[in-house]
Amino acid sequence: LAICAISFFWTMGAVLIIIFTPLAKNVLTADKHVATLLTALFSIGIAIGSVAINSLLKGHTSAKYGPASVLIMGAFVVLFSLLCKTWPPAVGHYYGWLEFIAMPRALLVIGALMGIAIFGGMFVVPLYAFLTTTVTKDETSRTVAANNVVNSGSMAIGAAMVTALSHAGVTPTNMLFVVAAMCPISAWLAQKLHKACD
């Protein structure tokens, strides 16, 4: 269950990471530095979420906050998409990162993105703890290896999904709704894990 939930998360993560650059360029009309900024903020947000969930759980291995975390993450994904849809595009040029940050809605966009990452981190980090604490020591390396294989396959599926949706004419902002729709499934997996192991 932990491997399935982690892999499902990284399927969503793959979609988000892949669409950041075209979303920054074509929707937010921002340059590559803004795309790099969004990716960096996403990574920082996951780290913040990791610290936050560790404080909440006080060192215990539990998935009890998983369902709520990923559902809140989904809500931030929807908010992020709506903010991007109503973003005022630049005319005749791309926003640089200073110009982007100076925009009135920029803090809302950054806040929504950070919300996605923080609650994503709160969801996925405890799941990794299950891989190393709920199996015997001689099975740990095999469990982690199996997780890595399944995660890689899931990320490949996420990349293929982005390609297929792009060819079908789905915009990056609408792909965000696909990610949001996947969050309840992740919540269901986390709830099953919580009931089985906590």
Side-chain angles (χ1 to χ4, degrees):
L1 285 170
I3 290 174
C4 288
I6 291 169
S7 297
F8 213 82
F9 173 82
W10 284 116
T11 303
M12 296 188 292
V15 175
L16 290 171
I17 290 168
I18 290 169
I19 67 174
F20 275 157
T21 299
L23 188 140
K25 180 179 179 181
N26 301 324
V27 179
L28 300 177
T29 55
D31 64 19
K32 62 182 180 181
H33 301 295
V34 175
T36 302
L37 174 66
L38 294 179
T39 305
L41 288 172
F42 190 74
S43 300
I44 292 167
I46 290 177
I48 293 171
S50 304
V51 174
I53 196 64
N54 187 53
S55 297
L56 280 173
L57 293 174
K58 302 186 188 310
H60 296 293
T61 301
S62 173
K64 66 180 179 179
Y65 295 112
S69 295
V70 77
L71 289 175
I72 295 171
M73 173 188 157
F76 273 110
V77 170
V78 172
L79 176 61
F80 185 65
S81 178
L82 294 175
L83 288 169
C84 289
K85 280 177 176 284
T86 57
W87 181 262
V91 179
H93 72 291
Y94 290 114
Y95 293 123
W97 71 272
L98 286 174
E99 191 177 4
F100 174 81
I101 291 173
M103 294 293 291
R105 295 187 193 175
L107 290 180
L108 288 174
V109 170
I110 290 171
L113 179 63
M114 291 296 286
I116 295 169
I118 289 169
F119 285 97
M122 291 178 68
F123 170 72
V124 77
V125 168
L127 302 180
Y128 278 102
F130 274 101
L131 299 181
T132 55
T133 60
T134 59
V135 295
T136 58
K137 288 185 177 180
D138 61 324
E139 293 178 335
T140 302
S141 59
R142 278 181 288 168
T143 304
V144 172
N147 176 67
N148 290 340
V149 170
V150 178
N151 287 177
S152 297
S154 298
M155 292 178 77
I157 290 170
M161 189 165 61
V162 171
T163 302
L165 290 172
S166 295
H167 286 336
V170 179
T171 63
T173 50
N174 287 333
M175 282 188 208
L176 291 170
F177 289 117
V178 175
V179 174
M182 294 168 72
C183 288
I185 301 172
S186 295
W188 174 72
L189 289 169
Q191 182 64 18
K192 284 180 69 71
L193 180 64
H194 171 49
K195 286 184 175 180
C197 300
D198 289 341

